[in-house]
Amino acid sequence: MRAIVVKNWVKGPADLEVKDIPVPTPRDHELLVRVDSVGANFFDILLIQGKYQIKPPFPFTPGAEFSGTVVRGSGPFKTGARVFGSTPTGAYAEYICVPHEQCFAIPSTLSFEQAAGLYITYPTSFAGLVLRARVQPNEWVLVHAAAGGVGLAAVQIAKARGCRVIAAVGSQEKFNVCRAQGAMHCVNYRDENWTQRVMEITEGKGANVVYDPVGLVEKSLKCTAWNGRIVVVGFAAGTIEKVATNRVLLKNVAVMGVHWGAYARNEPEQVPSVWRELFDMAERGHIVPVVYEPVFYGLDRAKDALKAISSRQTYGKVVVKPAESPSKL
């Protein structure tokens, strides 16, 4: 089979190479899945550079999110089942072995491409907004990087919970993407007065909840409401902030983190309930993963997909398909 193989740390996506390697052999508890779609992530770039917290031994195949068809079944999944899942590595390949516990059946309302971006982004956003911030109907929710995969998931979930969403993005070109997914208002966080604009939108009260995958806590405190909650999701801006805690005190603000991957270890009882709610929302059409166009066909084009992500010009989920061209069926 063909797969991206990393033998040494590389400078960037342009250095990735596709090789012919044997199809993996699944163990008793594993599925063998023919990969249809791979969800590309910014952390894939960090992984191949050796800058991510996970450093797999060489050689390895990067890629954490995928969807596809079961070729050899295990557990509840039979041959031919449509599944999506996640592993630390291995997704940028034509086939992957994965424990059946790390896979779910694809909801009937979703395509392979949409399902490839479901495993990490949606439970992260649900946990951040519902389990941590405990959003309530009619609250103002400010979502940073709202046009990205995690951001659009947060926009959709907040809208489904009855919240009023303000989407913050880095360019005006992304406003329409966010509005199409339920954002009532959009602001450009590259504008100097974006916090003032949030205050105007909320009639001087500020956002009740701030969902931040970027690293904008310090600035967001200027437009956070009394008793507001700020959810720290990530640091896409590249630096870890130092926050003036006097502002946290003066506004009675709660700053909290969300680490979905750690729930399985620390609060395992939450995991199935979160997925039940997400699957119900998917079946009702309340959440629909947004796939960036164009989809990148062929593993050789994974480098182009990752370059597009690093350029910050993409929206939704960037998808790579190991197939060289679209199916004619």
Side-chain angles (χ1 to χ4, degrees), residues 28-252:
D28 289 343
H29 68 293
E30 290 183 328
L31 305 175
L32 177 62
V33 177
R34 182 173 65 249
V35 177
D36 181 281
S37 300
V38 183
N41 290 287
F42 180 76
F43 62 74
D44 294 339
I45 301 172
L46 300 178
L47 181 73
I48 63 177
Q49 294 173 327
K51 297 178 180 179
Y52 196 52
Q53 56 257 39
I54 298 172
K55 294 180 173 58
F58 299 119
F60 69 88
T61 293
E65 286 185 290
F66 68 91
S67 64
T69 304
V70 174
V71 175
R72 188 176 301 174
S74 176
F77 299 108
K78 308 301 180 186
T79 299
R82 297 194 325 145
V83 298
F84 71 96
S86 180
T87 62
T89 59
Y92 287 107
E94 293 180 323
Y95 293 88
I96 187 172
C97 287
V98 59
H100 66 78
E101 301 91 347
Q102 292 170 217
C103 288
F104 293 99
I106 297 176
S108 61
T109 55
L110 302 184
S111 66
F112 281 116
E113 293 87 352
Q114 290 171 320
L118 192 62
Y119 198 95
I120 295 174
T121 54
Y122 278 84
T124 295
S125 293
F126 188 94
L129 292 173
V130 180
L131 300 186
R132 301 293 286 132
R134 301 190 180 279
V135 292
Q136 301 298 316
N138 293 317
E139 285 192 313
W140 286 106
V141 177
L142 172 64
V143 179
H144 288 303
V150 169
L152 282 177
V155 170
Q156 292 179 357
I157 291 168
K159 176 69 186 291
R161 305 290 289 197
C163 301
R164 295 174 287 178
V165 180
I166 304 170
V169 293
S171 68
Q172 194 162 345
E173 290 75 19
K174 296 179 179 179
F175 282 12
N176 288 341
V177 174
C178 298
R179 289 194 179 104
Q181 302 308 314
M184 293 180 64
H185 300 273
C186 298
V187 298
N188 186 337
Y189 53 63
R190 299 189 192 281
D191 293 343
E192 289 186 8
N193 64 343
W194 70 265
T195 56
Q196 181 181 338
R197 177 66 183 132
V198 172
M199 293 303 291
E200 292 171 356
I201 292 169
T202 59
E203 299 180 341
K205 295 180 180 178
N208 304 104
V209 174
V210 177
Y211 187 82
D212 182 18
V214 178
L216 291 168
V217 173
E218 178 71 22
K219 291 181 179 178
S220 297
L221 281 166
K222 296 178 182 178
C223 59
T224 303
W226 171 260
N227 278 336
R229 291 90 76 201
I230 298 178
V231 185
V232 178
V233 187
F235 313 98
T239 57
I240 297 176
E241 290 184 276
K242 297 184 186 301
V243 177
T245 53
N246 61 313
R247 287 183 180 169
V248 176
L249 182 151
L250 291 172
K251 286 190 172 183
N252 231 37

Side-chain angles (χ1 to χ4, degrees), residues 254-315:
V255 179
M256 60 195 72
V258 61
H259 183 185
W260 171 247
Y263 272 83
R265 180 174 66 253
N266 296 296
E267 292 183 70
E269 69 280 3
Q270 294 281 15
V271 175
S273 63
V274 167
W275 279 113
R276 278 194 300 271
E277 291 215 42
L278 288 173
F279 288 142
D280 180 68
M281 293 171 74
E283 293 292 348
R284 293 171 180 267
H286 292 163
I287 58 171
V288 181
V290 176
V291 178
Y292 176 73
E293 294 290 343
V295 170
F296 295 86
Y297 283 88
L299 291 170
D300 288 314
R301 297 211 61 205
K303 60 184 68 177
D304 298 321
L306 294 174
K307 286 178 187 176
I309 291 174
S310 64
S311 73
R312 299 189 180 181
Q313 298 304 308
T314 62
Y315 58 84

